[in-house]
Amino acid sequence: MIKKKIIYLIAILGLFTACHNDLAPEAILPIPTPEQVAWQKLETYAFIHFGLNTFNDLEWGYGDTPASTFNPSNLDCDQWVSVVKASGLKGVILTAKHHDGFCLWPTKTTEYSVKNSPWKDGKGDMVKELSEACKRAGLKFGIYLSPWDRNSEHYGTPEYVEIFHAQMEELLTNYGPIFEYWFDGANGGDGYYGGTNERRSIDATTYYQYSRARETIKRLHPSAMIFGGTEADIRWIGNEHGSAGQTNWSPINEDANYTQFPYGNENGNIWLGGECDVSIRPGWFYHKREDHQVHSLAHLTDLYYRSVGRNATFLLNFPVALTGRIHPSDSTRAVEWHKSIQSELRTNLLENISVKASNERNGSKYAVSNSNDSDWDSYWATNDTVINATLTYDFEKPTTLNRVMIQEYIPLGQRVKKFSVEIEKNGEWISIKTTDAMSTIGYKRILRFQTETADKLRINFIDAKGALCINNVEAFLAPALIVEPKISRNEKDIVTIKAGDIGSKIYYTLDNSEPTIESKLYTAPFLFAKKGTIKAISYDSQFDKKSSASVTELDIPASSYTVVNPTSSRTDYLFDGNGYTSYQLQTPSPELVVTLAKEALIKGFTYTPNQGRDNASHISNYQLFVDDNLVSEGEFSNIKNHPIKQIINFNSVKGKKVKLKSIKQINNNSRVTIGDFSVITE
Ligand code: FUL
C-alpha cells in the first residue's frame, strides 16, 4: 500500500516537474526592452560627421567662424546613403549640430545655421535631405545633437537649456522616424560664446535636463534608442577605437564609471547594450591629410569581431569631404569591409547538422535542434537547475573551420559566464587555439581560432547565471585575410617593417609608388635618415594573397634633432617612432626645445600622446614657437577620448629652433608626457 502511494506521489511530482519545465525559463533580470533587442539586431550602422569643422579642417570648432564658411560644392545625400547601404550598414546618424554650434538645418533657435551659408543660397536643409534619402533607400535615420555649444552666447545659462530643448523638438518633429538619438558627453569648457571667448563650466548631469529630453524623445519616437546623457538606453563602450571588452555584459550598474563601460557588469542592475563607435580614418571630421590613412581592410574586419562579435553594436563613421560627398577611398574601403565579413561568415557549416545536448529542458519547445535552425525566436534551453551543459555537433565528414558564432536568447536576460570550444579529430578531443576569451556571450559572440579540420564540434557551457537559453550556433571557414605590415623608424633612423601574419613576406617601395610582389623584398631593418614615404604590403604565397598597403610618411630624421631642454638621455623616446615609450616634461613650465641640424622651412608639427594606459597627462592646449616666434597655438581637440597622433599645420616659416609648450593638460593634470614629436617640413 505504502509502495503504491510512493509511486503515485513520484508520478504526480514528475508530472508537475514536466509541466513546470514546459514553461519558458524564468527571465534573469535585468532584461532588455523589445526596442533594445531590435536595436541590437541592427548590429552595424553609420555615423556622418559633416559641418563647419569640415571647412575649417578642425575636429572641434571654437564656434567663431562665420556661417558663410559652410559651402559644399556638390552635396549629395543619396551618394552617402548608397555607400552606407552597399556597406551593409542599417542606418545613419547625422551630426545635426556639433560642439561648434553650427546647425545643419534652418533652425528658428539661432542664426548660426545653413540658412546663413552660401549653400543653396541659404535655402538648404541637410537634415531633411538626408532623412529623405534614408527613407528612399530604406535606411534608418538618427540624430546627433551636441549639448555643448561653443557658439551660443547663452551657453551656461537657463536660456540655452530652452534653446537646446527647442532644437530637439524641431529635429524630432520635422524629419520622420528616428531610430537613435545621440547626446555627446564632451564639455570642453572654453568657447566663443557670442564673442566673450571664455571658459564656461556646467554640471552636465543636471544642466541639460536629460529626463525632460527623454520624455520628448519617447513621446515623439517611442522606439528610439537614446545614447548618452543621464537617462540612456544604450551605453558608450568607453573608447573611440571601436572595440568592446573581451568580457562584455549588457547589464551594468546605473552609477558605473567609464572604466566599466567596455565590460558591463555581471551583477549590473540595468540593461544597457554597448555601442562601439569608430571613424573610418583617424579623425571624425574630414582632413585631406588623412586621405592615405583610411583604416585597412584587416583592421576594420578585426573591429567587427571586437564589436559585434563581442555582444556590442558597431557605429562606423564617414567624415564627408568638402565637396559634400564621401571620399572614394572611404567608400571603397567600407564596401570591401562588408564583402570581407560576408565572405568570412558565408556558409554555416552547422546548418541541419545532427546535434546532441547533454541536457534538454522538458517540452518540445526547447529542443536542441533550435540551436541550429534559422529561427531567431526558437532556442535550446536546459532545465532550471542545469547551468552547465554541452552541445555536440557531428559533421558527416571531416570539416575545416575557424569561426564559431554563439547567440543567447537575450529577451530572457544574459546568462553565460564561461564556456569552451573543442573539436574531435581522429577520435581525440582537443581545445581550439584562440586568443579570444571564452567568457560572456550575450546577443552574439564570434570566436576566431586557428583553422582546424574536425569530425565533431563541442561547446561546453561551464558556468551561467541560470538555465541556458541558446538560440543560435553557427560555424564557418573564413578565407585568409592578410594583415598589412607595420612600418616604424626609431631614434637611430633605422626602419623596421613587421608583417602582421606569420609566414607572410614584405615588399616595399621608397619612391611613393604602390608596392607589388615585384617591389623590393624586405629582409632586415635598414637605415633611412631622410625625409620620404615608405609603402609596404604583406604577401602570403600559400594563399597567393596580399594585404592592403601601409603608408608611412617620414619627415626629417631623428638624428637631425638636438634636444636643448630638457636635458636627459631619455628624450630619445620622443623620436623613436613608438608612442608607447613617452617622456615626461618638467613642470611648472612644461616645454620641449629642440634645434634642427640645419635651417628648414617648417610648416607644422606632430604630437603623439602617450599611447599607454595613462591618458591623464596629454597636452590639451599648446603653443609652438620657431626661433622664439609664436607660430601656432590652440587645442588638441578630443584628445582625452581619442588620443591619436595630432597633426598641426601652419604657414611655413624658416627656422632652426622649435619649442613646444604645454599650456594645459587634460583635466588640468600636473604631469605632461609626450609619446613622439616631429616637425613637418616643406
Ligand atoms: C566625441 C566628440 O567630441 C567627437 O568630436 C565625435 O563627435 C565623437 C563621436 O564623439 O565625444
Side-chain angles (χ1 to χ4, degrees):
M1 185 63 191
I2 290 180
K3 209 175 161 197
K4 244 189 175 174
K5 262 193 180 159
I6 290 174
I7 291 173
Y8 178 72
L9 269 175
I10 290 174
I12 294 273
L13 206 66
L15 197 64
F16 174 78
T17 322
C19 291
H20 183 69
N21 276 329
D22 266 346
L23 298 174
E26 243 173 64
I28 292 191
L29 299 178
I31 55 167
T33 62
E35 292 77 21
Q36 284 173 316
V37 175
W39 163 83
Q40 185 112 33
K41 282 182 176 176
L42 296 176
E43 299 192 357
T44 63
Y45 40 91
F47 228 160
I48 297 270
H49 274 65
F50 189 55
L52 262 189
N53 288 345
T54 314
F55 296 88
N56 292 321
D57 202 12
L58 289 173
E59 281 290 296
W60 282 4
Y62 198 65
D64 58 345
T65 20
S68 57
T69 324
F70 183 80
N71 193 13
S73 52
N74 191 12
L75 187 120
D76 183 358
C77 290
D78 285 309
Q79 187 254 355
W80 309 357
V81 157
S82 67
V83 172
V84 168
K85 239 193 144 164
S87 309
L89 302 154
K90 315 291 180 348
V92 189
I93 302 174
L94 173 69
T95 51
K97 176 182 90 166
H98 204 254
H99 312 324
D100 62 6
F102 183 77
C103 298
L104 293 180
W105 78 105
T107 172
K108 293 198 181 81
T109 60
T110 168
E111 290 302 301
Y112 205 46
S113 83
V114 281
K115 110 183 142 199
N116 287 313
S117 80
W119 178 59
K120 294 201 163 173
D121 293 327
K123 304 213 165 49
D125 181 344
M126 194 163 307
V127 180
K128 187 163 197 182
E129 291 205 10
L130 182 57
S131 61
E132 287 181 353
C134 282
K135 269 179 217 142
R136 282 193 290 278
L139 285 180
K140 295 187 179 296
F141 179 62
I143 296 278
Y144 166 116
L145 181 77
S146 169
W148 183 30
D149 187 322
R150 295 176 111 178
N151 174 264
S152 175
E153 58 180 309
H154 303 294
Y155 186 76
T157 69
E159 214 169 330
Y160 171 74
V161 181
E162 294 315 308
I163 293 174
F164 175 56
H165 282 262
Q167 291 178 341
M168 228 180 309
E169 191 88 31
E170 287 179 0
L171 290 167
L172 292 164
T173 37
N174 296 328
Y175 304 102
I178 304 290
F179 85 103
E180 184 166 326
Y181 203 95
W182 229 85
F183 290 118
D184 200 307
N187 263 296
D190 56 346
Y192 174 70
Y193 305 131
T196 55
N197 296 311
E198 59 188 6
R199 200 175 168 74
R200 295 187 185 175
S201 304
I202 50 91
D203 176 356
T205 57
T206 50
Y207 179 61
Y208 298 116
Q209 303 183 6
Y210 282 120
S211 339
R212 186 176 148 203
R214 185 178 175 90
E215 262 170 47
T216 315
I217 297 169
K218 296 287 172 176
R219 172 169 47 83
L220 297 163
H221 301 271
S223 57
M225 289 290 98
I226 300 176
F227 174 100
T230 52
E231 301 202 13
D233 296 302
I234 52 185
R235 75 175 199 267
W236 182 45
I237 211 66
N239 62 64
E240 294 186 2
H241 55 250
S243 151
Q246 285 266 11
T247 293
N248 181 16
W249 291 96
S250 291
I252 192 162
N253 280 331
E254 248 158 330
D255 56 359
N257 64 35
Y258 282 8
T259 58
Q260 292 158 340
F261 284 9
Y263 318 105
N265 185 334
E266 181 187 328
N267 301 312
N269 63 343
I270 50 167
W271 183 281
L272 285 184
E275 179 183 84
C276 299
D277 58 330
V278 70
S279 187
I280 197 159
R281 321 167 156 227
W284 290 98
F285 283 90
Y286 178 81
H287 310 289
K288 186 159 175 32
R289 60 173 184 269
E290 293 180 352
D291 280 354
H292 69 277
Q293 285 183 291
V294 177
H295 293 317
S296 71
L297 179 59
H299 180 66
L300 288 173
T301 305
D302 183 41
L303 289 184
Y304 173 82
Y305 289 105
R306 287 165 178 267
S307 55
V308 176
R310 292 185 187 167
N311 185 37
T313 60
F314 188 60
L315 172 55
L316 179 63
N317 178 61
F318 294 93
V320 169
L322 278 84
T323 51
R325 299 167 76 99
I326 294 176
H327 190 279
S329 307
D330 301 0
S331 51
T332 311
R333 182 52 45 80
V335 175
E336 256 177 6
W337 164 77
H338 177 50
K339 289 200 173 132
S340 152
I341 289 157
Q342 278 184 317
S343 83
E344 297 220 349
L345 307 176
R346 177 160 292 136
T347 310
N348 174 14
L349 303 167
L350 301 185
E351 200 175 283
N352 303 321
I353 288 272
S354 121
V355 52
K356 286 203 174 69
S358 61
N359 179 278
E360 226 172 38
R361 193 178 184 82
N362 298 341
S364 55
K365 255 179 103 181
Y366 310 104
V368 66
S369 54
N370 292 340
S371 77
N372 63 336
D373 65 3
S374 48
D375 181 2
W376 194 85
D377 284 300
S378 73
Y379 54 94
W380 159 66
T382 54
N383 284 332
D384 284 338
T385 50
V386 179
I387 56 167
N388 57 1
T390 61
L391 286 179
T392 309
Y393 296 87
D394 193 348
F395 298 117
E396 265 156 30
K397 51 181 188 324
T399 298
T400 308
L401 69 164
N402 53 20
R403 302 279 185 275
V404 164
M405 175 198 291
I406 311 175
Q407 295 188 276
E408 283 189 79
Y409 188 63
I410 54 166
L412 294 177
Q414 188 176 345
R415 295 153 184 259
V416 176
K417 295 196 225 179
K418 192 172 179 204
F419 67 101
S420 71
V421 177
E422 293 169 301
I423 51 158
E424 195 195 57
K425 231 170 150 173
N426 310 323
E428 199 191 331
W429 283 102
I430 52 169
S431 300
I432 55 154
K433 290 193 184 66
T434 177
T435 51
D436 292 344
M438 289 179 266
S439 48
T440 49
I441 294 177
Y443 166 74
K444 189 173 265 189
R445 178 81 193 202
I446 313 174
L447 291 182
R448 290 174 284 179
F449 51 92
Q450 192 177 300
T451 305
E452 294 282 4
T453 300
D455 300 316
K456 287 182 189 166
L457 172 74
R458 183 158 75 192
I459 299 169
N460 306 303
F461 296 95
I462 300 166
D463 197 7
K465 287 172 77 180
L468 299 164
C469 298
I470 303 294
N471 62 348
N472 191 28
V473 182
E474 299 183 17
F476 305 91
L477 173 63
L481 178 64
I482 314 300
V483 178
E484 70 288 352
K486 280 205 169 67
I487 308 167
S488 63
R489 183 172 70 179
N490 71 9
E491 70 286 359
K492 298 202 163 59
D493 294 320
I494 303 292
V495 167
T496 305
I497 314 183
K498 283 204 177 109
D501 316 84
I502 312 161
S504 313
K505 285 188 172 145
I506 297 167
Y507 296 90
Y508 68 99
T509 62
L510 301 176
D511 60 0
N512 223 348
S513 63
E514 288 316 309
T516 67
I517 53 171
E518 315 282 87
S519 307
K520 204 168 163 52
L521 176 70
Y522 173 84
T523 49
F526 56 90
L527 183 71
F528 190 77
K530 58 181 177 188
K531 183 177 161 98
T533 302
I534 304 182
K535 296 187 179 180
I537 51 164
S538 294
Y539 171 74
D540 193 318
S541 53
Q542 192 195 343
F543 303 103
D544 187 23
K545 273 191 159 181
K546 57 181 193 198
S547 69
S548 45
S550 297
V551 182
T552 297
E553 285 174 348
L554 296 165
D555 214 289
I556 56 171
S559 47
S560 325
Y561 294 92
T562 305
V563 180
V564 181
N565 185 27
T567 45
S568 154
S569 63
R570 288 288 56 158
T571 52
D572 56 5
Y573 281 162
L574 303 174
F575 310 100
D576 66 356
N578 178 358
Y580 287 88
T581 53
S582 66
Y583 185 78
Q584 185 171 341
L585 296 184
Q586 283 123 25
T587 42
S589 172
E591 56 184 42
L592 168 72
V593 185
V594 296
T595 54
L596 309 181
K598 54 178 197 271
E599 207 170 55
L601 258 183
I602 302 166
K603 61 169 185 181
F605 74 98
T606 71
Y607 160 61
T608 307
N610 176 6
Q611 299 295 292
R613 288 180 71 88
D614 167 22
N615 75 348
S617 54
H618 302 334
I619 302 173
S620 64
N621 293 71
Y622 72 91
Q623 284 182 332
L624 191 96
F625 300 80
V626 173
D627 289 350
D628 297 323
N629 299 316
L630 178 67
V631 293
S632 172
E633 64 182 326
E635 69 181 9
F636 297 126
S637 313
N638 202 20
I639 199 164
K640 182 176 171 193
N641 289 330
H642 199 35
I644 56 172
K645 178 174 174 177
Q646 308 289 310
I647 303 173
I648 303 291
N649 291 304
F650 44 79
N651 292 334
S652 54
V653 282
K654 219 183 208 147
K656 206 171 166 206
K657 183 173 151 201
V658 180
K659 177 162 85 181
L660 171 67
K661 197 170 170 182
S662 175
I663 303 299
K664 197 154 98 56
Q665 295 76 245
I666 54 171
N667 302 341
N668 292 315
N669 199 288
S670 58
R671 284 176 322 106
V672 191
T673 56
I674 301 183
D676 270 316
F677 174 80
S678 139
V679 294
I680 308 172
T681 59
E682 285 287 359

